[in-house]
């Protein structure tokens, strides 16, 4: 088979991407400490605007799954150490993942602990409109934590 220069470079790029993706997924499988939430959020941010058919969406889904598992174990002090960009990424995920109650609960509780007032509007909407009792309860707890901290 004769490969054109463009085809060969595209094949090499695909192989490099698959190798990097496999290594990243392997690394993610070993991330088990809540202190890594910030790094995971930093990894998730550039993947946010991927097209629906792009293979990096699997990587984004794996990061989201890991965050769903780790965020509930994040202590309040560590939550407050999340950077503004990392908290913004959580708010973006909160908006996009409306149909994932476990993830929503984890994000709401983490943002409440982080004292992130940027979540107030979304939390109020979730208290009233979300079908999951758990999500509504987490949104109320988030708002309560934010109001308690302001006093």
């Amino acid at each position: 088979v004769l490969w054109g220069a463009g085809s060969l470079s595209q094949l090499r790029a695909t192989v490099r991407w698959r190798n990097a993706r496999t290594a990243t997924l392997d690394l993610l499988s070993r991330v088990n400490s809540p202190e890594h939430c910030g790094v995971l959020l930093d990894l998730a941010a550039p993947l946010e605007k991927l097209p629906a058919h792009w293979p990096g969406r699997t990587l984004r889904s794996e990061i989201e799954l890991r965050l769903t598992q780790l965020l509930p174990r994040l202590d309040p002090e560590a939550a407050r150490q999340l950077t503004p960009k990392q908290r913004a990424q959580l708010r973006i995920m909160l908006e996009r993942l409306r149909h994932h109650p476990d993830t929503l609960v984890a994000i709401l509780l983490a943002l409440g602990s982080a004292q992130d007032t940027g979540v107030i509007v979304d939390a109020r909407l979730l208290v009233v409109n979300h079908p999951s009792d758990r999500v509504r309860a987490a949104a109320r707890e988030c708002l309560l934590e934010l109001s308690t901290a302001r006093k």
Side-chain angles (χ1 to χ4, degrees):
V1 174
L2 294 175
W3 291 90
S7 298
L8 188 56
S9 65
Q10 189 174 21
L11 178 64
R12 286 181 181 142
T14 301
V15 168
R16 280 193 307 271
W17 161 248
R18 286 187 181 151
N19 288 342
R21 184 172 155 247
T22 300
T24 304
L25 288 171
D26 180 54
L27 180 65
L28 281 176
S29 71
R30 291 186 260 146
V31 172
N32 59 10
S33 172
E35 286 72 36
H36 295 118
C37 287
V39 173
L40 291 173
L41 290 164
D42 291 338
L43 286 172
L47 302 175
E48 197 60 48
K49 294 183 171 111
L50 295 178
H53 63 280
W54 200 69
R57 298 222 0 169
T58 303
L59 180 58
R60 185 176 77 183
S61 295
E62 287 296 320
I63 291 170
E64 291 164 357
L65 175 63
R66 187 60 64 194
L67 284 167
T68 302
Q69 296 165 345
L70 296 177
L71 283 171
R73 296 181 8 220
L74 190 66
D75 65 71
E77 181 58 36
R80 285 188 290 276
Q81 298 301 316
L82 292 173
T83 68
K85 284 179 77 173
Q86 292 164 344
R87 286 179 281 149
Q89 179 60 32
L90 283 174
R91 291 191 305 274
I92 290 168
M93 292 169 61
L94 185 72
E95 183 69 32
R96 185 173 45 74
L97 298 170
R98 295 285 185 188
H99 302 293
H100 298 272
D102 293 337
T103 305
L104 291 180
V105 168
I107 291 171
L108 284 164
L109 297 178
L111 288 172
S113 294
Q115 300 300 306
D116 188 311
T117 57
V119 74
I120 290 174
V121 172
D122 284 325
R124 286 180 178 159
L125 289 171
L126 290 170
V127 165
V128 175
N129 296 324
H130 202 277
S132 167
D133 292 338
R134 289 183 14 243
V135 171
R136 288 193 309 271
R140 279 190 294 275
E141 188 173 332
C142 175
L143 291 170
L144 180 64
E145 188 148 355
L146 291 171
S147 68
T148 304
R150 281 194 246 155
K151 293 179 182 178

